[in-house]
């Protein structure tokens, strides 16, 4: 990998993010999979169960960040394949890393903006954010991590958005059940707890619990949560770059 | 003149298929270089390699001294690309499409706004600048695509069949624009399957077929390459069909074109006297008799051995 003028490439990534925001935020699949589906899922599982509101809000928060940040990034590549915008980008003086960074940034901003919904909802119900800085750091890391994960879903050189969304749903739904969203990790059987370790959603949900419910509610230490999210981010981003480098020429 | 594009032994394989087969050529600064060939000849594949969109299987490409594989960012910074099947972003306005390109190429905002205004005015799109591209006609979209490729004020502009499928008026405007740009110093690399377009615009033409370059030269020089071959065109006062004509050994091909007959020959002189003999012996009067200088199309057919494109 060549070393390019990094500030320059970051500025160009921001241009790509701006374009993504203008085009993809208001798209049907983004709204449906990013906002509506976590809301309904949450209502379906929580209705009628007698659980403390701060537990609920922490779970909702983790899930919302997860769904919102994984909804923008995967639609970009198939849509731009279909609409033939990709060749333009491929001809521009930007690396694939720059393009993907731009897509991730757009996705991160979407995730962060949407994460305010459960926070405000929780505050309306009297939930207090005890560790705002930790929560903020967690949200930023997690949105980056999940956005990079979203890019992996769209690495196959397809132009069919719905098949990308289906792949992504098939991965995302099972993860919710092993990540302490509905059931605290400490209540899971030992195989469940082992599985939870491999889900990045576990760590942001854990951070939310810590931030909303206090130190006792966290399963892992805060630094482990943050560290794990960072490790997942690096793994996902590296994989996404490698996979998209390979699939881009096949999209043209 | 210095070379701004140097291509050496360039090859691209798609599995079994060799789309581009060890081609080499140079493009000089200030040229309009034409890449002429039928569908599937390997034009798009070549342009995509030259512009760093796909990687060659082997060979070397240098764009103003930068290897496209070694220094892709620096090389791409200097060029503008109008891909064959590309689009502007339908959901963005013309203006935002242009500004996006400027940002991708690191053009400062002030320069970008001034340039966008100039380009939109020139392409007759200024009044529509705030409209989404999806409301544009095909010709308007193509003009915008070209304007987008000019936002970084490229030293070399690549256009892949830019007039293909456009109405006559848009095509003419685009050709005019290419001439103006070239007069202002931009080197142009143009692919086309229209012989006439290459003939009108290009200072040099490479003829490509089945991934190989059959010849590279100025259009007029290419025409002289087919030696003494010329078309003799004749019409009589009464109808004469191709089969009525006597066998003339120097004639390689005869075809009818409206009420005229055209004979492809390497000895126009003796062919003409044979035709005159024929008219006299059959009591016909010759209405018109012309020799047609060879066109680029004739060169193309001669060099590639392909049938006429129609
Ligand atoms: N992505 C690809 N995969 C496989 N074959 C391809 C691909 N792109 C082009 N080809 C083949 O390579 C040859 C040259 O194509 P192309 O460069 O598009 O020709 P042209 O632009 O001159 O019409 C054709 O036979 C085409 O089918
Ligand atoms: Mg082509």
């Amino acid at each position: 990998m060549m070393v390019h003028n990094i500030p320059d490439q970051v500025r160009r990534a921001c241009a790509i993010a701006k374009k993504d925001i203008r085009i993809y935020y208001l798209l049907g699949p983004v709204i449906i999979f990013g906002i509506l589906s976590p809301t309904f899922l949450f209502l379906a599982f929580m209705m009628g169960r007698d659980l403390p509101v701060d537990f609920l809000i922490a779970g909702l928060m983790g899930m919302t960040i997860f769904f919102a940040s994984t909804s923008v990034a995967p639609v970009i590549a198939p849509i731009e394949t279909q609409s033939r915008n990709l060749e333009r980008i491929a001809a521009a003086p930007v690396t694939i890393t720059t393009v993907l960074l731009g897509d991730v940034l757009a996705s991160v901003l979407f995730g962060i903006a949407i994460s305010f919904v459960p926070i405000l909802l929780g505050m309306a119900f009297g939930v207090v954010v005890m560790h705002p800085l930790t929560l903020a750091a967690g949200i930023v890391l997690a949105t980056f991590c999940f956005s990079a994960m979203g890019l992996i879903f769209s690495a196959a050189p397809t132009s069919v958005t719905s098949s990308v969304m289906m792949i992504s749903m098939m991965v995302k739904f099972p993860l919710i059940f092993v990540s302490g969203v509905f059931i605290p990790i400490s209540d899971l059987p030992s195989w469940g707890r082992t599985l939870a370790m491999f889900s990045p959603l576990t760590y942001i949900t854990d951070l939310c619990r810590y931030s909303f419910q206090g130190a006792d509610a966290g399963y892992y230490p805060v630094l482990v949560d943050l560290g794990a999210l960072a490790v997942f981010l690096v793994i996902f981003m590296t994989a996404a770059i490698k996979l998209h480098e390979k699939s881009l020429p096949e999209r043209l | 003149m210095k070379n701004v594009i140097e291509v050496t032994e360039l090859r691209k394989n798609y599995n079994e298929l060799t789309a581009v087969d060890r081609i080499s050529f140079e493009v000089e600064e200030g040229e309009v270089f034409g890449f002429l060939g039928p569908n599937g000849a390997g034009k798009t594949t070549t342009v995509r390699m030259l512009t760093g969109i796909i990687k060659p299987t082997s060979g070397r490409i240098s764009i103003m001294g930068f290897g496209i594989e070694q220094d892709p960012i620096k090389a791409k910074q200097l060029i503008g690309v109008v891909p064959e099947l590309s689009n502007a972003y339908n959901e963005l306005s013309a203006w935002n499409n242009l500004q996006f390109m400027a940002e991708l190429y690191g053009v400062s905002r002030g320069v970008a706004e001034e340039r966008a205004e100039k380009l939109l005015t020139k392409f007759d799109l200024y009044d529509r600048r705030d409209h989404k591209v999806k409301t544009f006609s095909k010709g308007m979209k193509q003009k915008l695509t070209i304007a987008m490729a000019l936002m970084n004020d490229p030293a070399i502009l690549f256009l892949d069949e830019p007039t293909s499928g456009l109405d006559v008026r848009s095509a003419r405007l685009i050709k005019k624009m290419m001439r103006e740009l070239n007069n202002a110093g931009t080197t142009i690399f143009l692919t086309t399957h229209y012989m006439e377009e290459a003939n009108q615009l290009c200072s040099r033409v490479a003829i490509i077929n089945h991934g190989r370059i059959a010849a590279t030269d100025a259009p007029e020089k290419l025409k002289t390459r087919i030696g003494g071959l010329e078309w003799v065109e004749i019409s009589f006062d009464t109808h004469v069909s191709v089969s009525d004509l006597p066998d003339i050994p120097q004639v390689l091909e005869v075809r009818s074109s409206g009420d005229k007959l055209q004979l492809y020959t390497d000895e126009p002189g003796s062919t003409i006297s044979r035709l005159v003999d024929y008219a006299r012996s059959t009591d016909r009067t010759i209405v018109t008799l012309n020799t047609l200088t060879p066109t680029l199309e004739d060169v193309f057919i001669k060099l590639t051995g392909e049938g006429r494109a129609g």
Side-chain angles (χ1 to χ4, degrees):
Chain A
M1 183 74 194
M2 298 255 323
V3 181
H4 302 296
N5 187 340
I6 290 172
D8 234 31
Q9 290 289 311
V10 170
R11 263 196 300 277
R12 294 174 195 194
C14 290
I16 290 170
K18 191 162 92 188
K19 173 266 296 175
D20 290 343
I21 289 169
R22 282 189 167 134
I23 300 174
Y24 301 108
Y25 272 18
L26 293 177
L27 231 52
V30 171
I31 303 284
I32 292 167
F33 293 106
I35 302 173
L36 297 183
S37 70
T39 310
F40 286 118
L41 207 61
F42 184 75
L43 290 175
F45 278 89
M46 292 309 165
M47 208 75 95
R49 291 170 69 188
D50 191 18
L51 291 163
V53 71
D54 52 359
F55 174 86
L56 289 180
I57 291 298
L60 176 63
M61 179 93 196
M63 194 167 69
T64 306
I65 293 171
F66 183 50
F67 274 84
S69 335
T70 45
S71 65
V72 178
V75 302
I76 299 172
I79 291 180
E80 297 200 351
T81 305
Q82 173 86 46
S83 58
R84 301 202 158 278
N85 303 122
L86 224 53
E87 194 157 350
R88 263 274 130 77
I89 303 257
V94 290
T95 63
I96 290 194
T97 308
T98 303
V99 176
L100 295 182
L101 179 63
D103 294 347
V104 161
L105 281 176
S107 186
V108 161
L109 293 175
F110 188 75
I112 291 176
I114 301 296
S115 73
F116 278 96
V117 176
I119 295 179
L120 295 175
L121 193 70
M123 283 160 82
F125 281 103
V127 175
V128 180
V129 182
M130 285 182 250
H131 304 284
L133 284 183
T134 309
L135 184 64
I139 290 174
V140 170
L141 256 179
T143 48
F144 267 98
C145 178
F146 297 147
S147 302
M149 182 180 182
L151 287 177
I152 294 176
F153 297 136
S154 64
T158 173
S159 62
V160 186
T161 314
S162 58
S163 59
V164 169
M165 289 323 254
M166 200 157 81
I167 298 170
S168 107
M169 279 296 144
M170 269 157 43
V171 177
K172 278 153 73 176
F173 276 106
L175 278 187
I176 295 167
F177 296 95
V178 296
S179 304
V181 172
F182 301 118
I183 309 158
I185 300 168
S186 48
D187 294 357
L188 289 173
S190 69
W191 61 266
R193 268 173 286 174
T194 311
L195 223 53
M197 284 169 56
F198 295 100
S199 163
L201 179 54
T202 301
Y203 303 98
I204 181 62
T205 310
D206 197 45
L207 274 174
C208 290
R209 298 227 185 288
Y210 165 84
S211 305
F212 287 121
Q213 296 176 269
D216 299 342
Y219 182 78
Y220 295 111
V222 170
L223 283 180
V224 170
D225 288 330
L226 292 173
L229 286 172
V231 169
F232 274 111
L233 167 58
V234 171
I235 294 172
F236 289 153
M237 200 62 204
T238 311
I241 291 167
K242 287 267 175 296
L243 292 169
H244 279 270
E245 263 172 4
K246 195 163 164 293
S247 70
L248 180 72
E250 293 167 41
R251 291 180 185 278
L252 302 172
Chain B
M1 275 290 183
K2 77 172 195 224
N3 291 334
V4 290
I5 305 176
E6 287 176 353
V7 175
T8 322
E9 292 280 302
L10 186 64
R11 187 163 61 94
K12 178 72 185 178
N13 289 351
Y14 290 114
N15 303 318
E16 311 287 83
L17 179 92
T18 302
V20 172
D21 195 2
R22 288 194 203 85
I23 60 172
S24 301
F25 60 88
E26 291 88 40
V27 177
E28 287 173 12
E29 188 172 25
E31 268 193 305
V32 179
F33 188 85
F35 222 57
L36 176 65
N39 285 333
K43 302 183 296 295
T44 298
T45 306
T46 304
V47 174
R48 282 179 169 170
M49 289 192 282
L50 295 187
T51 54
I53 293 171
I54 57 174
K55 286 197 175 3
T57 306
S58 65
R60 209 193 122 78
I61 297 165
S62 149
I63 302 289
M64 305 191 75
F66 296 111
I68 194 78
E69 289 194 88
Q70 296 74 30
D71 268 322
I73 303 292
K74 285 182 185 146
K76 287 171 167 186
Q77 189 68 44
L78 299 168
I79 63 178
V81 186
V82 181
E84 184 176 23
L85 294 167
S86 85
N87 251 324
Y89 284 95
N90 275 321
E91 302 301 321
L92 297 183
S93 65
W95 182 261
N96 283 341
N97 267 295
L98 292 175
Q99 296 309 319
F100 174 54
M101 290 309 287
E103 289 168 15
L104 271 189
Y105 284 82
V107 178
S108 72
R109 179 174 293 237
V111 174
E113 289 183 351
E114 194 180 308
R115 215 170 265 166
E117 280 185 20
K118 232 187 240 163
L119 287 168
L120 286 168
T121 310
K122 183 166 161 184
F123 284 112
D124 217 4
L125 293 169
Y126 192 74
D127 295 339
R128 298 288 296 271
R129 66 189 178 282
D130 292 325
H131 292 218
K132 285 190 176 177
V133 171
K134 65 177 167 198
T135 65
F136 285 15
S137 70
K138 191 167 180 203
M140 290 164 77
K141 282 184 183 172
Q142 183 68 335
K143 288 190 283 184
L144 179 63
T145 308
I146 295 174
M148 285 166 75
L150 294 172
M151 280 304 286
N152 63 324
D153 192 21
I156 311 173
L157 180 65
F158 291 85
L159 301 109
D160 193 0
E161 305 211 24
T163 61
S164 181
L166 290 188
D167 59 281
V168 179
R169 202 164 145 254
S170 302
R172 198 178 303 148
L173 184 92
I174 284 168
K175 282 189 256 187
K176 179 166 161 262
M177 180 280 312
M178 283 191 264
R179 279 199 200 94
E180 285 172 8
L181 268 175
N182 183 245
N183 288 340
T186 310
T187 305
I188 294 183
F189 186 99
L190 168 75
T191 81
T192 181
H193 66 262
Y194 299 123
M195 318 277 170
E196 202 34 47
E197 188 169 287
N199 193 28
Q200 287 169 10
L201 291 169
C202 299
S203 41
R204 281 193 312 141
V205 176
I207 292 179
I208 181 168
N209 199 23
H210 299 303
R212 296 219 177 118
I213 291 182
T216 311
D217 216 331
E220 292 306 321
K221 284 191 191 151
L222 279 175
K223 287 175 194 168
T224 65
R225 280 212 195 183
I226 54 178
L229 286 169
E230 263 178 69
W231 287 98
V232 173
E233 188 180 77
I234 189 164
S235 65
F236 301 94
D237 58 342
T238 56
H239 178 76
V240 174
S241 65
V242 173
S243 55
D244 295 337
L245 285 182
D247 258 347
I248 307 173
Q250 297 82 9
V251 172
L252 308 174
E253 188 193 337
V254 185
R255 66 188 187 195
S256 64
S257 159
D259 61 343
K260 296 172 277 291
L261 289 169
Q262 296 178 337
L263 298 88
Y264 198 41
T265 173
D266 52 4
E267 280 182 38
S270 63
T271 303
I272 289 169
S273 58
R274 291 292 299 268
L275 287 169
V276 172
D277 290 345
Y278 167 74
R280 206 175 281 143
S281 65
T282 56
D283 246 359
R284 288 182 165 95
T285 308
I286 294 172
V287 179
T288 57
L289 177 63
N290 292 307
T291 60
L292 310 176
T293 43
T295 62
L296 206 48
E297 184 169 5
D298 298 322
V299 181
F300 182 83
I301 292 161
K302 168 107 191 298
L303 289 174
T304 64
E306 298 279 298
R308 292 185 65 85

